[in-house]
Amino acid sequence: MMSPEISLNVLQNALRSGKISPSEVVEYYAARMDELNPRLNALLSYDKEAALAAAAKADVNLPLGGLPVAIKDNICRKGITTSCASRMLENFHSPYDATAVEKLLAAGAIPFGRANMDEFAMGSSGENSAYGSTQNPADPQHVPGGSSSGSAAAVAAGLIPAALGSDTGGSVRQPASHCGVVGFKPTYGRISRYGLVAFASSLDQIGTLTHCVEDAALLLGILCGHDEKDSTSSSEPVPDFMSGLHDGIKGMRIGLPREYTGGGNAESVSSALRDAVQALQNAGAEICEISLPHAETAVASYYIIACAEASSNLARYDGIRYGHRSDAALDPDALFSLSRAEGFGEEVKRRIILGTYVLSGGYYDAYYARAQKARALVAQDFAKAFTELGVQLILGPVAPTPAPKLHAEDITPLQTYLADIYTVPANLAGLPAISVPTPQNGLPVGVQLLAPHFEEARLLRAAVSLEQSWK
Ligand code: GLN
């Protein structure tokens, strides 16, 4: 009865009806990991014995009883290496579980596998991992996207039915789009960030990678909620995301920003978007053109803010308290600089340098302060669309192209940054957004839906309609 694309929902029913046992489920995925992970490099490690021990005790009547979930390697698990795919944290064993992991465990899920990623979640291809790139399961010549490269690839290849990722500027949605799975980023503050290793704290949010929208709703219901250990976590009541999921979208007004349909998109991205418009219209929604006039400032403002916050957050890796410590240092200054020089990869260093620069005296107003103003304008564009223009959701692409080739030498860091144009606005504005796969003959392409703050239920309902129209 098992298959690589089996959903959490179907798996849950099979477990509850006794058609399969939690141990058999773990054996199935472990066998797929053994077979496929050496090539894909989607998981940095997986502990079959620990998963089997958890399976032996699993209560299938719990909300996620017996369901295995891979965890991106920047989300802490007690006693287990949490490396952020960095040499800096190669030997770091977390002393505590992230709140998201605690919640999964309390719901009966079985954390299984540390998912590969771009180092410290900085990147869009998975190639910035200190432990090697991940292959796109749809085509081994291509990247899986990033930074949740391993989470997306592992789900797409059926190494695991679901995974946690993190999304600071698109890192759940973009790899989901490139690998052909569902990637969901909730409203900023919906899921506690306690135990998510900080990259850019005002943008970071944990999200999910799953085979279908219903599975995203199932996980979201468990993961959301206020956490006193994260002062930015929201006290907004958590609705039942499963109820009303199939109620349809008749009469819903969905905005299509004209800034998102310009000439810069690959043909398969434009046609995926046209198909999505058609599918949503067929489901009874009204699609109207809107404008997000500050859309073009989003990437610049994102990279200034994200790098500034990263330079501050990553100052904690000093070679003294924890993380990599250089053997070559003869004095404390050298210990600090050599440990960082040896521990961090090239992209992480670039961001720390950029971030330190934009925060430094004389440049702060010119860069950081202006980026914050641009951020406010980007957020205001969305607020206006949802109020004055009266749209209930916004539709757009996830990325301007399908997955680039692995190790493409002609792509500069700047080009990579610019390709984040459609994903970073949701983070700047703190909005929930989802990437839904579209039918393709070639490389996978997703489309994105965005909703007002805390309207995840509406977002999921529209995403289900989209998904259904293609079944
Ligand atoms: N690609 C973006 C970056 O490199 C997004 C990263 C993320 O969401 N973690 O910053």
Side-chain angles (χ1 to χ4, degrees), residues 72 121-124 146-147 166-171 199 302-303 351 420:
K72 186 175 180 178
M122 298 175 187
S124 309
S147 64
S166 69
D167 192 311
T168 303
S171 281
F199 162 12
Y302 167 81
Y303 273 93
R351 305 241 184 158
D420 289 340

Side-chain angles (χ1 to χ4, degrees), residues 359-410:
L359 288 174
S360 57
Y363 294 106
Y364 183 95
D365 287 338
Y367 295 109
Y368 186 72
R370 279 181 78 194
Q372 289 291 10
K373 284 181 194 152
R375 177 181 191 170
L377 293 171
V378 168
Q380 208 178 73
D381 282 354
F382 284 114
K384 276 192 183 151
F386 291 131
T387 53
E388 289 167 29
L389 307 181
V391 300
Q392 289 155 297
L393 293 177
I394 290 172
L395 171 69
V398 181
T401 66
K405 282 235 152 118
L406 256 171
H407 312 304
E409 273 164 17
D410 52 343

